[in-house]
Amino acid sequence: MTDRYAVIGNPVAHSKSPQIHAAFARANGDDLDFSLLPAPLDGFRATVAEFRAAGGKGLSVTLPFKLEALEIATSAAERARRAGAANFLRFEGTEILADNTDGAGLVRDLTQNLGIDFRDSRVLVVGAGGGARGIILPLLETGLRALRIVNRTADRAQALALEFASVAGRPALSGGGYAEIAGERYDVVINATSASIAGAVPALPLDIFASGSLAYDLMYAENDTPFMLFASQHGAARTADGLGMLVEQAAESYYLWRGVRPQTAGVLRALRHPA
Ligand code: NDP
């Protein structure tokens, strides 16, 4: 019988996940069906229950259900608990296993696709919402030299840094407002705010990009995002959007469901340059 998976969200029609997972399955000769699963805003649990009852094996979870996905889990990976959200569910008998593959996807995109060597890197994360929360632990685990979190509302960045301060063997980690980083330079600057969605750019000091630095926007779009344009104008050597993260988090999820790590380069190329 064909194994069934889906991406659940509201709205979800725009999701590229079915296309990505179908490509992984084709390349691996894997027999699976991956569909879109729209759920009413107040109907996440019922929609999941129905999908499970029909034999569904797992779900990819997108906005606005990532918090509820963690709540319904019978067990959750540390990175999901720390993120306070899950984008991955696997069903095994009566168990619901939750994970969060967003941060691992980002780190894999940065290291494997963009060639970042974190060992000597000073990294800046801009933003303190759900997107930022999901990437802090995987970033700390890369062995980077220093991680600074800044946010328009400084208190939220401070709180986030404090929350992750207990990670064993952590590198220098601090959080605060934009003004506090004036005069500092970073090798990797990650925009985890939702500013790009509104066509805006966080009001960061202009001199934060070290020579050779990479500016990365979690958001992806057909053209360069406002943050990528801002970074290029102010000294970033390279820019990237979050499409690679999307594909890599899907690959990590596929691996957790199927035990096989799919190749991502061809899928990413096809999404960037559709035939
Ligand atoms: P949240 O709503 O949880 O958080 C929004 C964050 O953006 C807050 O830190 C907020 O600051 C900040 N912000 C909003 N507008 C501005 C602005 N004009 N200037 C400065 N800061 C601003 O959103 P998420 O964290 O869930 O999402 C952030 C981004 O990450 C989105 O673009 C989302 O699409 C993307 N994302 C991409 C993924 C991928 O696979 N590529 C995965 C997950 C997320 P304040 O606290 O001051 O309000």
Side-chain angles (χ1 to χ4, degrees), residues 63 66 102 126-133 150-154 156 178 191-198 200-203 216-220 241-247 249:
L63 298 178
K66 291 185 180 184
D102 280 338
V126 186
R133 177 177 289 276
V150 288
N151 192 42
R152 182 175 61 180
T153 311
R156 293 185 75 195
Y178 296 165
N191 180 26
T193 74
S194 51
S196 290
I197 296 170
V201 177
Y216 192 102
D217 199 338
L218 291 202
M219 195 183 107
Y220 54 86
D241 72 6
L243 190 65
M245 172 177 172
L246 178 78
V247 172
Q249 65 76 27

